[in-house]
Amino acid sequence: MMLSLPDQMQLDQFLAQVRHLAGLELGYPVAFDLDFSALTPFLTVSLNNAGDPFEPMTYQLNSHEFEREVVSFFAELARAPEDQWWGYVTNGSTEGNLYGLYLARELFPDGMVYFSQDSHYSVSKNLHFLNMRHIMIRSQDSGEIDYDDLRETLRIRRDVPPIIFANVGTTMKEARDDVGRIQSILDDMAIENRYIHVDAALCGGYAAYLEPRPSWDFEDGADSIAISGHKFFASPIPCGVVLARRSHVERIGHSVAYIGSMDTTISGSRNGLTPLVLWYAIRALGHEGMKRRIEHALDTAAYTEEQLNKAGIKAWRNPNALTVIFPQPPRAVCEKWQLATANGNSHIICMPHITREKIDEVLNDILASGAEAS
Amino acid sequence: MMLSLPDQMQLDQFLAQVRHLAGLELGYPVAFDLDFSALTPFLTVSLNNAGDPFEPMTYQLNSHEFEREVVSFFAELARAPEDQWWGYVTNGSTEGNLYGLYLARELFPDGMVYFSQDSHYSVSKNLHFLNMRHIMIRSQDSGEIDYDDLRETLRIRRDVPPIIFANVGTTMKEARDDVGRIQSILDDMAIENRYIHVDAALCGGYAAYLEPRPSWDFEDGADSIAISGHKFFASPIPCGVVLARRSHVERIGHSVAYIGSMDTTISGSRNGLTPLVLWYAIRALGHEGMKRRIEHALDTAAYTEEQLNKAGIKAWRNPNALTVIFPQPPRAVCEKWQLATANGNSHIICMPHITREKIDEVLNDILASGAEAS
């Protein structure tokens, strides 16, 4: 199977272009420092992980064995209760969040979902999709949920089971809602029927390595957690992991003769390559390698914040965050460096592949453009 | 980034194993005849097609340009109304079917979904997910929907907008519901508020090349169609295409500042590699190449049906189908050849890579096992 010459040229040009653009990408939480080219032979086999990774399957071209290792690794990071959790590799955190909300709805069909105004745009989309009632809670300036507003809003609805959608790493400011504190608020009101889903798309990859450890996981009170695989874990294909308390999942499983497996996932056919990608990263780097990557990234973030401020640009970041926020620079700079922007603010996300030299480059661009503008 | 020796050995062993298993796979609709290894360099760049492929996007490492070509190709196959359609590359047909049902629900929140008992198991899952009322319709022995039962069931609910979930290619028998005939039934009852979603996961890849052309597409009355990319189109990663009438999609779009794009897809981050895979297949083979593949596959299917019957095994298939159905052979044969089985029947799906020699092999195994059993 071969392309015509013009088609081949189009493809080659595109590859060169994206390679170039990858070096000019500072605005999105995507890491480029890991090389998965050792997995390329798997592009020639049609892996399909349909169904539950913990159940046998008739279609034998699957990587369930690797997927189980991957979800176990994340279950350990997220301190899931031993043998009382379940999970699978998703197509990304939107699917993981959808899954968590779905479990919550099955447990509490009349529940009310609470989430902060800094939540990812997909949350409203997911809630609409699942037909779930919801109330948006104010955010603090940091991007973290406003606990007073949450408490007051819950207080007048103590008869309705609350479903809290917590962010551990908001999209724009990487703010982390404190799961333990949310848990305490619910405890104080003696609300027993409750559910906490944690969208840890970005920070779930490294929260366990931070000092102090953020309050975000199962021991802190989460019922389900979604983590992305293409952010900190650098998968070149979007993916993620969703984890949940096993008892919640058992409520939605039903046996499916066709695939010879319990059907507890959202997707039908599932990507079998991404579990290999995550397995590869975990095995090649281990906890030590991951720790080194987050330490480097935190160092770059501190440097970025410092250099911007030194240059007279009011930059800030949340504690131990990789995301540095500053007033939106001129449009040309945003476009060149692919900086996401909202409400007049832009951010640089210091993923592990970003170096101080790269930060100096963008800073020069910002200063040069500012000079031009004045 | 390197693996330890035992880890590398585990991976190598797994690759050898799946390569071996790929040669022993006759039960699932997965084609292995196309080689996409030319795309392996893209495994080292993190493409992400988040959002609407027809809208500009801040994150520039996307393959939207290729994705648009791919969906346009499928829109042509499915005779979508010119400039009045929309679509995107999904993670598979479950997502495409979920999307079609979601559009239908937004149009007709009080609608009733009708689908045949031969529908894929994911349909019930999707309907539960979307909280949609539904009625299962009887199937004929062929697997096609029972039009009399459909008509009678619709007749007593003419006040409720019907949402028909039609199968073009059922999972076990590759039966094709006749979209034109469903359309006529609705016309006869003068039901104007109605929606037809077509699950063409398998047959959507080649229905347009068949003679006579099955009644399955937009001109026949479909409002949305889901087609798989990892079945007839041989993508090594699960994917698909969903197409819908543009007016339906416009009802659900809402602007999203963060990604600088209309948010009309289900996923957040989306795979950017699979659009390249489909583009590659389309460009390298064209309509002519695709026609040759389906002709070869139909020839193999006819051969399979004939040889099984000659050997005294009662085999049959639907008109112009690649799926040959016969009484379930002994367990060892089902396991070796990964034959999906339901209600005492197994099937072989003659995808384009399958040869007459392979069919002779499995037939010998069936006959040998029968001899042992007697």
Side-chain angles (χ1 to χ4, degrees), chain A residues 258-286:
Chain A
Y258 180 63
I259 54 167
S261 160
M262 284 285 281
D263 171 32
T264 33
T265 67
I266 289 186
S267 312
S269 289
R270 292 196 300 112
N271 196 319
L273 184 58
T274 46
L276 287 178
V277 166
L278 297 176
W279 177 87
Y280 194 93
I282 290 166
R283 283 301 182 115
L285 294 170

Side-chain angles (χ1 to χ4, degrees), chain A residues 1 7 21 28 43 58 60 102 105-106 125 128-129 171 230 236 258 263 265-266 269 283-284 335 338, chain B residues 7 21 28 43 58 60 102 105-106 125 128-129 171 230 236 258 263 265-266 269 283-284 335 338:
Chain A
M1 187 169 63
D7 288 348
L21 289 169
Y28 288 82
L43 256 192
T58 319
Q60 291 170 34
Y102 176 46
R105 190 191 73 181
E106 295 309 290
K125 194 171 65 164
H128 183 66
F129 211 75
T171 313
H230 56 292
Y258 180 63
D263 171 32
T265 67
I266 289 186
S269 289
R283 283 301 182 115
E335 277 177 12
Q338 305 168 53
Chain B
D7 287 347
L21 288 170
Y28 287 82
L43 257 192
T58 319
Q60 291 169 35
Y102 176 46
R105 191 191 72 182
E106 294 311 289
K125 194 172 67 165
H128 183 66
F129 212 74
T171 312
H230 56 291
Y258 178 64
D263 171 32
T265 66
I266 290 186
S269 290
R283 284 300 183 115
E335 278 178 12
Q338 303 168 53

Side-chain angles (χ1 to χ4, degrees), chain A residues 130-156:
Chain A
L130 290 166
N131 250 340
M132 293 172 85
R133 294 191 300 161
H134 48 89
I135 292 174
M136 194 184 271
I137 301 297
R138 269 201 309 273
S139 293
Q140 304 175 51
D141 287 343
S142 67
E144 199 172 339
I145 196 166
D146 183 325
Y147 302 97
D148 296 333
D149 190 25
L150 177 64
R151 186 184 293 105
E152 289 318 303
T153 314
L154 284 167
R155 194 193 302 284
I156 54 175

Side-chain angles (χ1 to χ4, degrees), chain A residues 153-164:
Chain A
T153 314
L154 284 167
R155 194 193 302 284
I156 54 175
R157 274 174 206 82
R158 286 172 67 170
D159 56 323
V160 182
I163 297 163
I164 316 286

Side-chain angles (χ1 to χ4, degrees), chain B residues 129-172:
Chain B
F129 212 74
L130 290 165
N131 249 342
M132 293 170 86
R133 292 189 302 161
H134 49 89
I135 293 175
M136 193 183 272
I137 302 296
R138 269 201 308 272
S139 294
Q140 305 175 50
D141 287 343
S142 67
E144 199 172 340
I145 195 166
D146 183 325
Y147 302 97
D148 296 332
D149 190 26
L150 177 64
R151 187 184 293 107
E152 289 317 304
T153 315
L154 284 167
R155 195 193 302 282
I156 52 176
R157 275 175 204 82
R158 286 172 67 170
D159 57 322
V160 182
I163 297 163
I164 315 286
F165 185 96
N167 295 294
V168 177
T170 60
T171 312
M172 281 308 294

Side-chain angles (χ1 to χ4, degrees), chain B residues 64-223:
Chain B
H64 278 170
E65 136 196 22
F66 295 86
E67 185 174 8
R68 288 192 294 272
E69 266 198 62
V70 167
V71 289
S72 300
F73 175 90
F74 282 95
E76 192 194 321
L77 280 187
R79 300 189 303 185
E82 210 182 327
D83 298 330
Q84 294 303 312
W85 60 271
W86 184 84
Y88 74 98
V89 175
T90 61
N91 287 309
S93 288
T94 297
E95 182 181 343
N97 290 331
L98 194 60
Y99 193 76
L101 289 170
Y102 176 46
L103 291 180
R105 191 191 72 182
E106 294 311 289
L107 280 169
F108 304 116
D110 299 318
M112 176 71 78
V113 181
Y114 301 87
F115 63 105
S116 83
Q117 59 187 135
D118 275 47
S119 302
H120 190 260
Y121 72 91
S122 63
V123 179
S124 307
K125 194 172 67 165
N126 281 346
L127 292 172
H128 183 66
F129 212 74
L130 290 165
N131 249 342
M132 293 170 86
R133 292 189 302 161
H134 49 89
I135 293 175
M136 193 183 272
I137 302 296
R138 269 201 308 272
S139 294
Q140 305 175 50
D141 287 343
S142 67
E144 199 172 340
I145 195 166
D146 183 325
Y147 302 97
D148 296 332
D149 190 26
L150 177 64
R151 187 184 293 107
E152 289 317 304
T153 315
L154 284 167
R155 195 193 302 282
I156 52 176
R157 275 175 204 82
R158 286 172 67 170
D159 57 322
V160 182
I163 297 163
I164 315 286
F165 185 96
N167 295 294
V168 177
T170 60
T171 312
M172 281 308 294
K173 298 174 179 169
E174 199 183 328
R176 302 178 189 127
D177 298 342
D178 186 313
V179 173
R181 193 161 166 191
I182 292 169
Q183 180 88 319
S184 304
I185 291 171
L186 297 167
D187 285 346
D188 281 352
M189 280 183 265
I191 297 173
E192 290 194 346
N193 285 334
R194 66 204 205 180
Y195 191 102
I196 302 178
H197 173 76
V198 178
D199 176 358
L202 174 57
C203 297
Y206 53 82
Y209 303 122
L210 296 178
E211 294 282 349
R213 185 182 172 107
S215 182
W216 72 289
D217 65 12
F218 287 98
E219 281 196 20
D220 296 315
D223 289 287

